[in-house]
Amino acid sequence: MRPTQILRSGGDAPVGRHGKFLGGWGAFGGMPQKGIITYTLSSNKQNPIAGAFHDAIFNTWRRFGSQVLYIAPPMIFFYYAMDWAIHRNHHLNSKHGRAEASDE
């Protein structure tokens, strides 16, 4: 294998007019293509928020529906645990709760 083939390292791609590799990914340095016509709309003529509110509603509902079973059960559990702890604390710090705790 010649040392120049290692530098080109493109397989069996053609060598360009000036001895440089002109192929591979993106075809860097290749001839420009002809006959391709593209049409674009000016950015100040586009409607950037077309359908945004409609898509936001359905996208939010889809994302909420896919995550609610991961979030809701722990939140419900900890809400009731915290509610029980607050009521238990109020009971133990009340007159009746202190009397009940001192009897034990």
Side-chain angles (χ1 to χ4, degrees):
M1 179 180 240
R2 295 177 302 208
T4 54
Q5 286 180 333
I6 295 171
L7 294 175
R8 291 181 190 137
S9 68
D12 55 351
V15 177
R17 184 171 37 181
H18 302 290
K20 296 182 180 175
F21 176 67
L22 293 179
W25 181 82
F28 296 119
M31 298 294 294
Q33 295 183 358
K34 295 181 180 180
I36 298 176
I37 300 170
T38 58
Y39 297 97
T40 59
L41 186 63
S42 173
S43 60
N44 60 353
K45 295 285 185 180
Q46 295 177 5
N47 187 0
I49 58 169
F53 297 114
H54 179 267
D55 293 341
I57 292 169
F58 290 105
N59 191 33
T60 303
W61 179 253
R62 178 187 56 81
R63 293 176 68 182
F64 171 77
S66 67
Q67 295 295 319
V68 71
L69 292 178
Y70 293 107
I71 302 298
M75 285 185 68
I76 292 169
F77 172 76
F78 287 114
Y79 172 79
Y80 282 113
M82 192 68 184
D83 188 49
W84 172 84
I86 290 171
H87 283 87
R88 180 76 175 152
N89 184 37
H90 286 302
H91 172 70
L92 291 177
N93 288 323
S94 68
K95 190 174 191 181
H96 179 62
R98 287 177 188 254
E100 183 183 309
S102 64
D103 289 340
E104 294 175 2

